[in-house]
Amino acid sequence: FKIKETHLLYEMQKQRKTVYTKALQQKKDLNTSQLMLKEANQRSVVVMPIIVQDQLIGALNVSSHEVDAFSDVDIENAGAVGRHLAIALQQAILFEAQERRARQLEAVRKSSLGLTHSLELENVLQAILRAALDLVKSAEFANLILYEDGQFTRQVAQDVHGNVRLEVPAPRPGGFSEHIVQTREVDWLDDIAESAFFQDDDSGFRGTLLGLPLLIDDQVVGVMNIYYPDPNSLDPHHIQ
């Protein structure tokens, strides 16, 4: 939601310090959370910033049904709670990042084992797709499109259940995969149905599409497309 200048959150965000309202009932133009507090007959509100690595990531609200319920000591103690909460959140964020990195490394390890098990091209390509889908749990299927001298040569596809997909059409001239080849950069479509690349598609097909160029010796040899069934569902961590 948009934070208006009259909101307590705006004041806290601007000052980056605790804001205290002694009589919430007398304030006007409240945001949704403050309206809920007012309707719950809460009169005093303390809003404390949660800052992690010098970034404001949230706010902690403490309220009372009494007017001017909090003393200076109460507010200082609440601020200390907010600082401890920020430390806990920072640790949780770091732990989550470490776990995500561990999952990525494990996916690479499994993929490497699959590749060394058989060097037949079809098996190698399917092992790469399997590793990608294991890592990105919210995806529905992925495909690998190979190119040689800029020309399409073959394609393999697999769904999240490990089934080989045979019905995926060849990439269209001027389509999204060709766009990835030409730009040589990662790109994605938040909603296939609204993309100019699929303007001639009347199937009503929707979802998010992530395209990754595959480079060998600075040459684009393929494109991996990963499809998510829901529009606007791409997690930035998936790109990593």
Side-chain angles (χ1 to χ4, degrees), residues 116-145:
T116 55
H117 180 72
S118 173
L119 292 180
E120 293 183 8
L121 182 58
E122 180 71 20
N123 292 337
V124 170
L125 297 177
Q126 292 295 346
I128 293 173
L129 291 177
R130 179 71 268 151
L133 290 169
D134 284 343
L135 185 60
V136 186
K137 300 297 184 182
S138 57
E140 186 169 284
F141 74 84
N143 71 324
L144 267 171
I145 303 170

PDB file of all heavy atoms in Angstrom, residues 116-145:
ATOM      1  N   THR A 116      28.089 -37.515 -15.569  1.00  0.00           N
ATOM      2  CA  THR A 116      29.200 -38.455 -15.683  1.00  0.00           C
ATOM      3  C   THR A 116      28.711 -39.893 -15.801  1.00  0.00           C
ATOM      4  O   THR A 116      29.454 -40.767 -16.245  1.00  0.00           O
ATOM      5  CB  THR A 116      30.118 -38.341 -14.455  1.00  0.00           C
ATOM      6  OG1 THR A 116      29.343 -38.534 -13.257  1.00  0.00           O
ATOM      7  CG2 THR A 116      30.777 -36.972 -14.402  1.00  0.00           C
ATOM      8  N   HIS A 117      27.465 -40.145 -15.408  1.00  0.00           N
ATOM      9  CA  HIS A 117      26.911 -41.491 -15.517  1.00  0.00           C
ATOM     10  C   HIS A 117      26.754 -41.897 -16.978  1.00  0.00           C
ATOM     11  O   HIS A 117      26.938 -43.053 -17.341  1.00  0.00           O
ATOM     12  CB  HIS A 117      25.563 -41.559 -14.790  1.00  0.00           C
ATOM     13  CG  HIS A 117      24.924 -42.919 -14.855  1.00  0.00           C
ATOM     14  ND1 HIS A 117      25.410 -43.985 -14.133  1.00  0.00           N
ATOM     15  CD2 HIS A 117      23.847 -43.373 -15.558  1.00  0.00           C
ATOM     16  CE1 HIS A 117      24.664 -45.045 -14.372  1.00  0.00           C
ATOM     17  NE2 HIS A 117      23.714 -44.710 -15.234  1.00  0.00           N
ATOM     18  N   SER A 118      26.397 -40.970 -17.812  1.00  0.00           N
ATOM     19  CA  SER A 118      26.240 -41.256 -19.238  1.00  0.00           C
ATOM     20  C   SER A 118      26.562 -39.997 -20.020  1.00  0.00           C
ATOM     21  O   SER A 118      26.103 -38.920 -19.689  1.00  0.00           O
ATOM     22  CB  SER A 118      24.802 -41.699 -19.549  1.00  0.00           C
ATOM     23  OG  SER A 118      24.607 -41.813 -20.940  1.00  0.00           O
ATOM     24  N   LEU A 119      27.361 -40.159 -21.055  1.00  0.00           N
ATOM     25  CA  LEU A 119      27.741 -39.016 -21.871  1.00  0.00           C
ATOM     26  C   LEU A 119      26.915 -38.940 -23.152  1.00  0.00           C
ATOM     27  O   LEU A 119      27.238 -38.151 -24.038  1.00  0.00           O
ATOM     28  CB  LEU A 119      29.241 -39.089 -22.206  1.00  0.00           C
ATOM     29  CG  LEU A 119      30.173 -38.891 -21.000  1.00  0.00           C
ATOM     30  CD1 LEU A 119      31.621 -38.991 -21.435  1.00  0.00           C
ATOM     31  CD2 LEU A 119      29.907 -37.564 -20.322  1.00  0.00           C
ATOM     32  N   GLU A 120      25.857 -39.737 -23.255  1.00  0.00           N
ATOM     33  CA  GLU A 120      24.961 -39.605 -24.399  1.00  0.00           C
ATOM     34  C   GLU A 120      24.243 -38.265 -24.293  1.00  0.00           C
ATOM     35  O   GLU A 120      23.742 -37.897 -23.231  1.00  0.00           O
ATOM     36  CB  GLU A 120      23.943 -40.742 -24.435  1.00  0.00           C
ATOM     37  CG  GLU A 120      24.576 -42.101 -24.700  1.00  0.00           C
ATOM     38  CD  GLU A 120      23.520 -43.182 -24.810  1.00  0.00           C
ATOM     39  OE1 GLU A 120      22.308 -42.831 -24.821  1.00  0.00           O
ATOM     40  OE2 GLU A 120      23.898 -44.360 -24.880  1.00  0.00           O
ATOM     41  N   LEU A 121      24.171 -37.536 -25.389  1.00  0.00           N
ATOM     42  CA  LEU A 121      23.672 -36.159 -25.365  1.00  0.00           C
ATOM     43  C   LEU A 121      22.267 -36.079 -24.786  1.00  0.00           C
ATOM     44  O   LEU A 121      21.983 -35.200 -23.967  1.00  0.00           O
ATOM     45  CB  LEU A 121      23.694 -35.564 -26.779  1.00  0.00           C
ATOM     46  CG  LEU A 121      23.233 -34.109 -26.886  1.00  0.00           C
ATOM     47  CD1 LEU A 121      24.082 -33.205 -26.010  1.00  0.00           C
ATOM     48  CD2 LEU A 121      23.280 -33.641 -28.338  1.00  0.00           C
ATOM     49  N   GLU A 122      21.386 -36.972 -25.185  1.00  0.00           N
ATOM     50  CA  GLU A 122      20.008 -36.937 -24.682  1.00  0.00           C
ATOM     51  C   GLU A 122      19.982 -37.063 -23.165  1.00  0.00           C
ATOM     52  O   GLU A 122      19.262 -36.324 -22.475  1.00  0.00           O
ATOM     53  CB  GLU A 122      19.188 -38.055 -25.314  1.00  0.00           C
ATOM     54  CG  GLU A 122      17.731 -38.104 -24.863  1.00  0.00           C
ATOM     55  CD  GLU A 122      16.892 -36.959 -25.418  1.00  0.00           C
ATOM     56  OE1 GLU A 122      17.319 -36.350 -26.425  1.00  0.00           O
ATOM     57  OE2 GLU A 122      15.825 -36.672 -24.853  1.00  0.00           O
ATOM     58  N   ASN A 123      20.774 -37.997 -22.621  1.00  0.00           N
ATOM     59  CA  ASN A 123      20.810 -38.180 -21.170  1.00  0.00           C
ATOM     60  C   ASN A 123      21.425 -36.979 -20.461  1.00  0.00           C
ATOM     61  O   ASN A 123      20.995 -36.594 -19.373  1.00  0.00           O
ATOM     62  CB  ASN A 123      21.610 -39.444 -20.830  1.00  0.00           C
ATOM     63  CG  ASN A 123      20.916 -40.711 -21.283  1.00  0.00           C
ATOM     64  OD1 ASN A 123      19.703 -40.732 -21.456  1.00  0.00           O
ATOM     65  ND2 ASN A 123      21.692 -41.768 -21.491  1.00  0.00           N
ATOM     66  N   VAL A 124      22.436 -36.396 -21.061  1.00  0.00           N
ATOM     67  CA  VAL A 124      23.065 -35.209 -20.489  1.00  0.00           C
ATOM     68  C   VAL A 124      22.066 -34.066 -20.403  1.00  0.00           C
ATOM     69  O   VAL A 124      21.932 -33.401 -19.369  1.00  0.00           O
ATOM     70  CB  VAL A 124      24.288 -34.791 -21.318  1.00  0.00           C
ATOM     71  CG1 VAL A 124      24.788 -33.414 -20.868  1.00  0.00           C
ATOM     72  CG2 VAL A 124      25.411 -35.811 -21.182  1.00  0.00           C
ATOM     73  N   LEU A 125      21.317 -33.832 -21.481  1.00  0.00           N
ATOM     74  CA  LEU A 125      20.348 -32.736 -21.511  1.00  0.00           C
ATOM     75  C   LEU A 125      19.223 -32.967 -20.510  1.00  0.00           C
ATOM     76  O   LEU A 125      18.796 -32.033 -19.809  1.00  0.00           O
ATOM     77  CB  LEU A 125      19.783 -32.580 -22.924  1.00  0.00           C
ATOM     78  CG  LEU A 125      20.807 -32.205 -24.010  1.00  0.00           C
ATOM     79  CD1 LEU A 125      20.134 -32.143 -25.375  1.00  0.00           C
ATOM     80  CD2 LEU A 125      21.492 -30.896 -23.696  1.00  0.00           C
ATOM     81  N   GLN A 126      18.739 -34.199 -20.422  1.00  0.00           N
ATOM     82  CA  GLN A 126      17.665 -34.498 -19.473  1.00  0.00           C
ATOM     83  C   GLN A 126      18.158 -34.369 -18.031  1.00  0.00           C
ATOM     84  O   GLN A 126      17.410 -33.929 -17.150  1.00  0.00           O
ATOM     85  CB  GLN A 126      17.110 -35.911 -19.719  1.00  0.00           C
ATOM     86  CG  GLN A 126      16.362 -36.079 -21.038  1.00  0.00           C
ATOM     87  CD  GLN A 126      15.080 -35.243 -21.097  1.00  0.00           C
ATOM     88  OE1 GLN A 126      14.587 -34.729 -20.082  1.00  0.00           O
ATOM     89  NE2 GLN A 126      14.520 -35.118 -22.300  1.00  0.00           N
ATOM     90  N   ALA A 127      19.425 -34.719 -17.773  1.00  0.00           N
ATOM     91  CA  ALA A 127      19.985 -34.566 -16.425  1.00  0.00           C
ATOM     92  C   ALA A 127      20.073 -33.096 -16.036  1.00  0.00           C
ATOM     93  O   ALA A 127      19.821 -32.730 -14.881  1.00  0.00           O
ATOM     94  CB  ALA A 127      21.366 -35.221 -16.359  1.00  0.00           C
ATOM     95  N   ILE A 128      20.413 -32.242 -16.992  1.00  0.00           N
ATOM     96  CA  ILE A 128      20.470 -30.801 -16.723  1.00  0.00           C
ATOM     97  C   ILE A 128      19.079 -30.272 -16.380  1.00  0.00           C
ATOM     98  O   ILE A 128      18.901 -29.507 -15.429  1.00  0.00           O
ATOM     99  CB  ILE A 128      21.051 -30.058 -17.937  1.00  0.00           C
ATOM    100  CG1 ILE A 128      22.520 -30.423 -18.137  1.00  0.00           C
ATOM    101  CG2 ILE A 128      20.911 -28.538 -17.761  1.00  0.00           C
ATOM    102  CD1 ILE A 128      23.129 -29.867 -19.402  1.00  0.00           C
ATOM    103  N   LEU A 129      18.070 -30.696 -17.142  1.00  0.00           N
ATOM    104  CA  LEU A 129      16.700 -30.253 -16.874  1.00  0.00           C
ATOM    105  C   LEU A 129      16.225 -30.741 -15.513  1.00  0.00           C
ATOM    106  O   LEU A 129      15.560 -30.014 -14.763  1.00  0.00           O
ATOM    107  CB  LEU A 129      15.764 -30.758 -17.969  1.00  0.00           C
ATOM    108  CG  LEU A 129      15.947 -30.138 -19.357  1.00  0.00           C
ATOM    109  CD1 LEU A 129      14.997 -30.784 -20.356  1.00  0.00           C
ATOM    110  CD2 LEU A 129      15.716 -28.631 -19.317  1.00  0.00           C
ATOM    111  N   ARG A 130      16.550 -31.999 -15.189  1.00  0.00           N
ATOM    112  CA  ARG A 130      16.134 -32.556 -13.906  1.00  0.00           C
ATOM    113  C   ARG A 130      16.739 -31.748 -12.757  1.00  0.00           C
ATOM    114  O   ARG A 130      16.064 -31.445 -11.757  1.00  0.00           O
ATOM    115  CB  ARG A 130      16.593 -34.004 -13.814  1.00  0.00           C
ATOM    116  CG  ARG A 130      16.260 -34.738 -12.529  1.00  0.00           C
ATOM    117  CD  ARG A 130      14.783 -35.035 -12.414  1.00  0.00           C
ATOM    118  NE  ARG A 130      14.056 -33.989 -11.701  1.00  0.00           N
ATOM    119  CZ  ARG A 130      12.790 -33.699 -11.902  1.00  0.00           C
ATOM    120  NH1 ARG A 130      12.087 -34.346 -12.807  1.00  0.00           N
ATOM    121  NH2 ARG A 130      12.197 -32.763 -11.214  1.00  0.00           N
ATOM    122  N   ALA A 131      18.020 -31.397 -12.879  1.00  0.00           N
ATOM    123  CA  ALA A 131      18.692 -30.619 -11.830  1.00  0.00           C
ATOM    124  C   ALA A 131      18.053 -29.239 -11.684  1.00  0.00           C
ATOM    125  O   ALA A 131      17.860 -28.752 -10.570  1.00  0.00           O
ATOM    126  CB  ALA A 131      20.177 -30.489 -12.151  1.00  0.00           C
ATOM    127  N   ALA A 132      17.703 -28.618 -12.810  1.00  0.00           N
ATOM    128  CA  ALA A 132      17.083 -27.290 -12.764  1.00  0.00           C
ATOM    129  C   ALA A 132      15.723 -27.347 -12.085  1.00  0.00           C
ATOM    130  O   ALA A 132      15.394 -26.504 -11.246  1.00  0.00           O
ATOM    131  CB  ALA A 132      16.952 -26.724 -14.181  1.00  0.00           C
ATOM    132  N   LEU A 133      14.919 -28.351 -12.413  1.00  0.00           N
ATOM    133  CA  LEU A 133      13.581 -28.459 -11.835  1.00  0.00           C
ATOM    134  C   LEU A 133      13.639 -28.861 -10.361  1.00  0.00           C
ATOM    135  O   LEU A 133      12.765 -28.482  -9.579  1.00  0.00           O
ATOM    136  CB  LEU A 133      12.747 -29.460 -12.638  1.00  0.00           C
ATOM    137  CG  LEU A 133      12.360 -28.985 -14.047  1.00  0.00           C
ATOM    138  CD1 LEU A 133      11.778 -30.131 -14.866  1.00  0.00           C
ATOM    139  CD2 LEU A 133      11.382 -27.828 -13.977  1.00  0.00           C
ATOM    140  N   ASP A 134      14.645 -29.639  -9.982  1.00  0.00           N
ATOM    141  CA  ASP A 134      14.805 -29.978  -8.565  1.00  0.00           C
ATOM    142  C   ASP A 134      15.139 -28.743  -7.744  1.00  0.00           C
ATOM    143  O   ASP A 134      14.744 -28.621  -6.590  1.00  0.00           O
ATOM    144  CB  ASP A 134      15.918 -31.016  -8.388  1.00  0.00           C
ATOM    145  CG  ASP A 134      15.478 -32.418  -8.789  1.00  0.00           C
ATOM    146  OD1 ASP A 134      14.257 -32.641  -8.895  1.00  0.00           O
ATOM    147  OD2 ASP A 134      16.353 -33.272  -9.004  1.00  0.00           O
ATOM    148  N   LEU A 135      15.879 -27.827  -8.344  1.00  0.00           N
ATOM    149  CA  LEU A 135      16.300 -26.616  -7.636  1.00  0.00           C
ATOM    150  C   LEU A 135      15.177 -25.598  -7.554  1.00  0.00           C
ATOM    151  O   LEU A 135      15.006 -24.910  -6.544  1.00  0.00           O
ATOM    152  CB  LEU A 135      17.518 -26.005  -8.336  1.00  0.00           C
ATOM    153  CG  LEU A 135      18.167 -24.798  -7.672  1.00  0.00           C
ATOM    154  CD1 LEU A 135      18.658 -25.154  -6.273  1.00  0.00           C
ATOM    155  CD2 LEU A 135      19.311 -24.274  -8.512  1.00  0.00           C
ATOM    156  N   VAL A 136      14.393 -25.482  -8.627  1.00  0.00           N
ATOM    157  CA  VAL A 136      13.316 -24.484  -8.694  1.00  0.00           C
ATOM    158  C   VAL A 136      11.987 -25.208  -8.525  1.00  0.00           C
ATOM    159  O   VAL A 136      11.370 -25.640  -9.498  1.00  0.00           O
ATOM    160  CB  VAL A 136      13.359 -23.719 -10.027  1.00  0.00           C
ATOM    161  CG1 VAL A 136      12.335 -22.599 -10.029  1.00  0.00           C
ATOM    162  CG2 VAL A 136      14.747 -23.161 -10.284  1.00  0.00           C
ATOM    163  N   LYS A 137      11.539 -25.339  -7.283  1.00  0.00           N
ATOM    164  CA  LYS A 137      10.379 -26.175  -6.981  1.00  0.00           C
ATOM    165  C   LYS A 137       9.078 -25.645  -7.550  1.00  0.00           C
ATOM    166  O   LYS A 137       8.159 -26.405  -7.812  1.00  0.00           O
ATOM    167  CB  LYS A 137      10.240 -26.322  -5.463  1.00  0.00           C
ATOM    168  CG  LYS A 137      11.445 -26.961  -4.788  1.00  0.00           C
ATOM    169  CD  LYS A 137      11.675 -28.382  -5.259  1.00  0.00           C
ATOM    170  CE  LYS A 137      12.822 -29.036  -4.494  1.00  0.00           C
ATOM    171  NZ  LYS A 137      13.101 -30.407  -4.962  1.00  0.00           N
ATOM    172  N   SER A 138       8.961 -24.354  -7.751  1.00  0.00           N
ATOM    173  CA  SER A 138       7.688 -23.783  -8.196  1.00  0.00           C
ATOM    174  C   SER A 138       7.507 -23.845  -9.706  1.00  0.00           C
ATOM    175  O   SER A 138       6.442 -23.489 -10.213  1.00  0.00           O
ATOM    176  CB  SER A 138       7.567 -22.332  -7.729  1.00  0.00           C
ATOM    177  OG  SER A 138       8.664 -21.569  -8.196  1.00  0.00           O
ATOM    178  N   ALA A 139       8.522 -24.304 -10.432  1.00  0.00           N
ATOM    179  CA  ALA A 139       8.415 -24.400 -11.887  1.00  0.00           C
ATOM    180  C   ALA A 139       7.615 -25.639 -12.273  1.00  0.00           C
ATOM    181  O   ALA A 139       7.568 -26.626 -11.531  1.00  0.00           O
ATOM    182  CB  ALA A 139       9.796 -24.450 -12.530  1.00  0.00           C
ATOM    183  N   GLU A 140       6.995 -25.599 -13.451  1.00  0.00           N
ATOM    184  CA  GLU A 140       6.186 -26.725 -13.923  1.00  0.00           C
ATOM    185  C   GLU A 140       6.922 -27.560 -14.958  1.00  0.00           C
ATOM    186  O   GLU A 140       6.829 -28.785 -14.955  1.00  0.00           O
ATOM    187  CB  GLU A 140       4.865 -26.230 -14.512  1.00  0.00           C
ATOM    188  CG  GLU A 140       3.911 -27.346 -14.883  1.00  0.00           C
ATOM    189  CD  GLU A 140       2.530 -26.816 -15.220  1.00  0.00           C
ATOM    190  OE1 GLU A 140       1.799 -26.468 -14.274  1.00  0.00           O
ATOM    191  OE2 GLU A 140       2.197 -26.748 -16.416  1.00  0.00           O
ATOM    192  N   PHE A 141       7.643 -26.906 -15.856  1.00  0.00           N
ATOM    193  CA  PHE A 141       8.483 -27.663 -16.779  1.00  0.00           C
ATOM    194  C   PHE A 141       9.606 -26.778 -17.308  1.00  0.00           C
ATOM    195  O   PHE A 141       9.601 -25.557 -17.132  1.00  0.00           O
ATOM    196  CB  PHE A 141       7.667 -28.275 -17.935  1.00  0.00           C
ATOM    197  CG  PHE A 141       7.210 -27.290 -18.983  1.00  0.00           C
ATOM    198  CD1 PHE A 141       8.065 -26.916 -20.031  1.00  0.00           C
ATOM    199  CD2 PHE A 141       5.942 -26.762 -18.958  1.00  0.00           C
ATOM    200  CE1 PHE A 141       7.644 -26.022 -21.008  1.00  0.00           C
ATOM    201  CE2 PHE A 141       5.514 -25.873 -19.931  1.00  0.00           C
ATOM    202  CZ  PHE A 141       6.368 -25.498 -20.959  1.00  0.00           C
ATOM    203  N   ALA A 142      10.569 -27.424 -17.946  1.00  0.00           N
ATOM    204  CA  ALA A 142      11.710 -26.713 -18.515  1.00  0.00           C
ATOM    205  C   ALA A 142      12.080 -27.371 -19.835  1.00  0.00           C
ATOM    206  O   ALA A 142      11.825 -28.555 -20.044  1.00  0.00           O
ATOM    207  CB  ALA A 142      12.898 -26.738 -17.557  1.00  0.00           C
ATOM    208  N   ASN A 143      12.664 -26.578 -20.714  1.00  0.00           N
ATOM    209  CA  ASN A 143      13.160 -27.146 -21.964  1.00  0.00           C
ATOM    210  C   ASN A 143      14.512 -26.561 -22.317  1.00  0.00           C
ATOM    211  O   ASN A 143      14.873 -25.465 -21.888  1.00  0.00           O
ATOM    212  CB  ASN A 143      12.154 -26.948 -23.107  1.00  0.00           C
ATOM    213  CG  ASN A 143      12.060 -25.504 -23.552  1.00  0.00           C
ATOM    214  OD1 ASN A 143      12.151 -24.595 -22.737  1.00  0.00           O
ATOM    215  ND2 ASN A 143      11.875 -25.282 -24.832  1.00  0.00           N
ATOM    216  N   LEU A 144      15.270 -27.340 -23.068  1.00  0.00           N
ATOM    217  CA  LEU A 144      16.582 -26.932 -23.556  1.00  0.00           C
ATOM    218  C   LEU A 144      16.530 -26.908 -25.075  1.00  0.00           C
ATOM    219  O   LEU A 144      16.149 -27.896 -25.712  1.00  0.00           O
ATOM    220  CB  LEU A 144      17.654 -27.918 -23.097  1.00  0.00           C
ATOM    221  CG  LEU A 144      18.384 -27.612 -21.796  1.00  0.00           C
ATOM    222  CD1 LEU A 144      19.247 -28.790 -21.388  1.00  0.00           C
ATOM    223  CD2 LEU A 144      19.231 -26.364 -21.914  1.00  0.00           C
ATOM    224  N   ILE A 145      16.912 -25.771 -25.634  1.00  0.00           N
ATOM    225  CA  ILE A 145      16.929 -25.603 -27.078  1.00  0.00           C
ATOM    226  C   ILE A 145      18.381 -25.402 -27.497  1.00  0.00           C
ATOM    227  O   ILE A 145      19.056 -24.510 -26.985  1.00  0.00           O
ATOM    228  CB  ILE A 145      16.077 -24.391 -27.504  1.00  0.00           C
ATOM    229  CG1 ILE A 145      14.641 -24.549 -26.996  1.00  0.00           C
ATOM    230  CG2 ILE A 145      16.085 -24.216 -29.017  1.00  0.00           C
ATOM    231  CD1 ILE A 145      13.794 -23.317 -27.162  1.00  0.00           C
TER     232      ILE A 145
END
